[in-house]
Amino acid sequence: DRCRCRPGDPPLAEGSWTLAAATMEAEDELEVLERVEISDDEGDDYKYEGVEEDLGFDEDEDEDEDITNALAALKGGSTQKSETAAMDSTAGYRSITQVRPSVVDDFIRNFMIKVGMQRTLDSFNTEWYELQAKGKLSEEYTTPVPDIYLRNQELDEQVVNLRQQLDKMRDITAKAQGTWDKFRKERDFHRMHHKRVVQEKNKLTTDLKRLRKHYLSYEPTLTELQRKYEVAMKEKMLMRLERDRMRARVATLEQTVKQLQEEKLPPADAGPEKSRSKKGRDSKLPPDDSVVNPYAELEFDAPPVDRFQLRKTFRGHLNSVAAVAFHPRKPILATVSDDQTWKLWSVPDCDLIMSGEGHRDWMSGVDFHPEGTHLFTSSGDKTVKVWDFAQASCTQTFADHTQAVWDVAAHHSGDFVASCSMDHTTRLWDLNSGRCRQTFRGHVDSVNSVCWQPFSNNVCTGSGDKTVSLWDARSGLCVQTFYGHLNACSNICINNRGDTIGSCDAGGGVKLWD
């Protein structure tokens, strides 16, 4: 068998074909045309020469060279790793490649052992170590072989991890997108609401400016009308005063004329005493200067409040007592209660003198006739009743109020009685004609208390609208209104001189008005 070479190459000696083939393989210039297996048992005319055992190097030198080559390979690998790390650090990222500690020849050896090519392995080892000893192998054949499989596996794991992170980021992104859409809708809603509010504000501002201009245009007229009204009211009050004065003079003159006529007439037999006025005829309020207040000029000593003490307690009603009043001439006390009855008690023995019932609901107010002959009561059944002690019965009932009546007060003349009600009004009743002569309107809440200014025609009222008002009974107009209470006014009273009003409210406050 012969080894074929490329055309143009010089023929090789039969004894040197192995070396020539190895040399050409080392130089990558050998082109194998046909592989022929040569058997030792096969006989031929070629005479083989024995190879000397000493080829110019011993085993110790081979081992030293192998160790040197291994150290050089390791140093070259470490140098290459350091250069790669430096390049990665300068590039801003780290790329680590794991390298298996094996060289090209070990890879080929392992491959031949794996496929069972023992003779080829022996030939490879012989030629490889010979070329390595002569230094004919380049560095690229002695460098470590990178483990691309491990690197691929690591990259696969990184890809899986990155995909998982990508899925998580997608979920987070979807949630963030939903939240963003929600916030955007809320922002659009609030923006639209803000625009609407701004529009309404601008509209209100424009309306206020227009109204202000309108008011400014009417302000001079209102001021002039207010001035004219005040002048007219002053003139009206002056005319009323003059009218009352003239009426008083006329009444005095009429009385004088009447006395003169009676003196001229012959005396007649004394007949039955006539009543003051006929039934059904309206009474007249006396002039202001016709009766003089006997207490106007008196000075009263301060009562010894520190010596006041409880004298006696007596029970006579089945329910709470709403109001009390003293008889103007006798030591008698009148009480009214929620048990729908009134009672008269002697003072100080507290013996029951008289009792009466007739109201259909709780009773709230009581007062005596100035002469002490009658008793006036008010009740939650919307009525005011007049009780005659001589007849021991109810003689009159006034039922013009539309809601519960809170209080009642008799005039010093004995011909009139005033009552206040929850219907926001105060009424003046004529006892002779039995009808309502005047209605005082002006409070905006329940009128809780009423009383007369002593020896005058003025009525004072306290209301749930936190005000105290003074009324002229002749005209029905409010003369003065007192402001100052912070809660509903519950009760009022006037001193005997008539120059001070006392009032109390639901908040515990007591005020004196001059």
Side-chain angles (χ1 to χ4, degrees):
D1 296 333
R2 298 180 180 273
C3 178
R4 299 180 182 178
C5 298
R6 289 178 295 181
D9 293 339
L12 299 176
E14 293 179 357
S16 61
W17 66 273
T18 302
L19 181 61
T23 303
M24 294 179 67
E25 285 179 359
E27 295 176 355
D28 292 337
E29 295 179 359
L30 178 63
E31 182 178 359
V32 180
L33 299 178
E34 183 178 1
R35 186 178 299 276
V36 180
E37 183 178 357
I38 301 175
S39 178
D40 294 336
D41 298 336
E42 190 175 2
D44 53 2
D45 296 334
Y46 183 79
K47 294 181 180 181
Y48 293 92
E49 296 180 356
V51 180
E52 296 181 355
E53 294 179 358
D54 188 9
L55 297 177
F57 56 90
D58 50 6
E59 295 179 358
D60 295 334
E61 292 178 356
D62 293 338
E63 292 177 357
D64 294 337
E65 290 177 359
D66 293 339
I67 293 173
T68 303
N69 294 332
L71 292 174
L74 290 176
K75 185 180 294 185
S78 62
T79 304
Q80 185 177 3
K81 287 181 181 179
S82 62
E83 293 175 358
T84 305
M87 292 176 63
D88 292 341
S89 62
T90 56
Y93 65 94
R94 296 181 61 187
S95 177
I96 302 174
T97 303
Q98 296 181 358
V99 180
R100 182 179 295 177
S102 61
V103 292
V104 177
D105 55 342
D106 291 337
F107 178 78
I108 296 174
R109 290 190 188 94
N110 292 333
F111 175 75
M112 291 183 179
I113 292 172
K114 184 176 180 180
V115 299
M117 300 171 63
Q118 296 296 331
R119 286 181 294 177
T120 307
L121 178 59
D122 294 338
S123 301
F124 172 75
N125 287 333
T126 302
E127 294 180 4
W128 181 267
Y129 286 118
E130 182 179 357
L131 293 173
Q132 190 175 11
K134 293 180 179 180
K136 294 183 179 182
L137 293 177
S138 61
E139 186 179 357
E140 61 182 351
Y141 295 109
T142 60
T143 56
V145 178
D147 191 356
I148 193 64
Y149 300 103
L150 293 178
R151 180 61 177 168
N152 290 339
Q153 184 178 2
E154 182 181 358
L155 292 176
D156 291 339
E157 293 177 354
Q158 292 180 0
V159 169
V160 172
N161 292 333
L162 291 175
R163 287 180 177 176
Q164 292 177 355
Q165 294 179 4
L166 179 61
D167 295 338
K168 292 180 180 179
M169 290 298 108
R170 285 177 178 173
D171 296 338
I172 295 174
T173 304
K175 293 180 181 179
Q177 183 66 28
T179 306
W180 164 249
D181 294 338
K182 181 180 178 181
F183 287 163
R184 184 176 58 186
K185 291 180 181 178
E186 293 181 356
R187 180 202 63 188
D188 296 339
F189 173 76
H190 289 297
R191 184 178 296 171
M192 181 178 61
H193 182 67
H194 176 70
K195 291 181 179 179
R196 184 168 61 254
V197 170
V198 170
Q199 292 176 357
E200 294 178 355
K201 176 185 175 183
N202 295 332
K203 182 179 178 182
L204 290 175
T205 303
T206 305
D207 294 341
L208 287 175
K209 292 180 179 179
R210 189 184 303 110
L211 290 175
R212 188 177 290 109
K213 292 180 180 178
H214 191 67
Y215 172 74
L216 292 175
S217 63
Y218 279 99
E219 188 173 6
T221 305
L222 292 174
T223 305
E224 182 65 21
L225 291 176
Q226 182 68 21
R227 188 186 64 80
K228 291 182 178 180
Y229 173 76
E230 292 176 356
V231 172
M233 289 299 296
K234 290 180 181 179
E235 293 178 354
K236 181 178 179 181
M237 293 300 296
L238 294 174
M239 291 176 65
R240 285 182 177 178
L241 293 174
E242 186 66 23
R243 181 192 64 183
D244 295 338
R245 191 180 300 109
M246 295 303 294
R247 284 182 178 178
R249 290 181 180 179
V250 169
T252 304
L253 292 175
E254 289 179 353
Q255 188 175 4
T256 304
V257 171
K258 186 175 181 180
Q259 291 178 356
L260 293 174
Q261 290 177 355
E262 289 178 354
E263 291 177 357
K264 294 180 180 180
L265 292 175
D269 296 336
E273 185 178 358
K274 297 181 180 180
S275 60
R276 289 178 303 170
S277 60
K278 296 181 179 180
K279 185 67 174 178
R281 188 175 180 181
D282 290 338
S283 302
K284 293 183 179 180
L285 287 169
D288 290 339
D289 54 357
S290 63
V291 180
V292 179
N293 187 354
Y295 306 102
E297 303 297 333
L298 296 181
E299 295 291 337
F300 297 94
D301 296 333
V305 181
D306 54 346
R307 290 185 295 176
F308 284 1
Q309 60 182 355
L310 178 63
R311 183 160 184 181
K312 190 171 182 180
T313 300
F314 56 97
R315 299 181 183 275
H317 289 283
L318 301 177
N319 210 330
S320 60
V321 179
V324 296
F326 275 104
H327 193 277
R329 299 180 182 180
K330 298 180 180 180
I332 297 175
L333 178 68
T335 60
V336 293
S337 171
D338 288 351
D339 59 6
Q340 305 177 12
T341 63
W342 59 266
K343 295 185 180 183
L344 299 181
W345 309 87
S346 64
V347 178
D349 297 333
C350 301
D351 296 329
L352 181 62
I353 300 175
M354 184 179 291
S355 177
E357 59 182 8
H359 287 286
R360 298 187 303 273
D361 206 342
W362 44 265
M363 300 178 67
S364 56
V366 62
D367 195 13
F368 279 99
H369 190 276
E371 297 179 359
T373 58
H374 296 76
L375 185 71
F376 308 105
T377 58
S378 60
S379 171
D381 60 3
K382 311 175 186 178
T383 63
V384 175
K385 289 183 178 293
V386 181
W387 307 86
D388 189 350
F389 296 144
Q391 300 180 11
S393 63
C394 176
T395 57
Q396 286 181 326
T397 300
F398 304 110
D400 288 355
H401 282 292
T402 59
Q403 294 189 31
V405 183
W406 284 117
D407 199 6
V408 64
H411 189 257
H412 70 275
S413 65
D415 295 330
F416 299 93
V417 62
S419 63
C420 60
S421 171
M422 195 183 296
D423 60 5
H424 306 178
T425 64
T426 301
R427 293 182 181 270
L428 180 65
W429 309 96
D430 191 338
L431 298 179
N432 292 325
S433 62
R435 68 186 185 90
C436 178
R437 292 285 302 277
Q438 194 70 261
T439 301
F440 306 97
R441 305 178 187 274
H443 288 292
V444 295
D445 204 342
S446 172
V447 185
N448 300 325
S449 181
V450 62
C451 68
W452 289 90
Q453 187 177 11
F455 304 98
S456 71
N457 296 322
N458 296 328
V459 182
C460 187
T461 58
S463 172
D465 59 6
K466 311 174 187 178
T467 62
V468 176
S469 297
L470 194 64
W471 308 81
D472 187 349
R474 296 165 298 180
S475 63
L477 299 177
C478 180
V479 178
Q480 183 68 40
T481 300
F482 303 96
Y483 299 92
H485 283 288
L486 301 179
N487 295 280
C489 184
S490 56
N491 202 353
I492 60 171
C493 64
I494 302 178
N495 64 347
N496 290 331
R497 288 187 298 185
D499 58 358
T500 303
I501 301 174
S503 61
C504 60
D505 59 24
V510 177
K511 294 184 180 294
L512 297 178
W513 310 92
D514 189 359

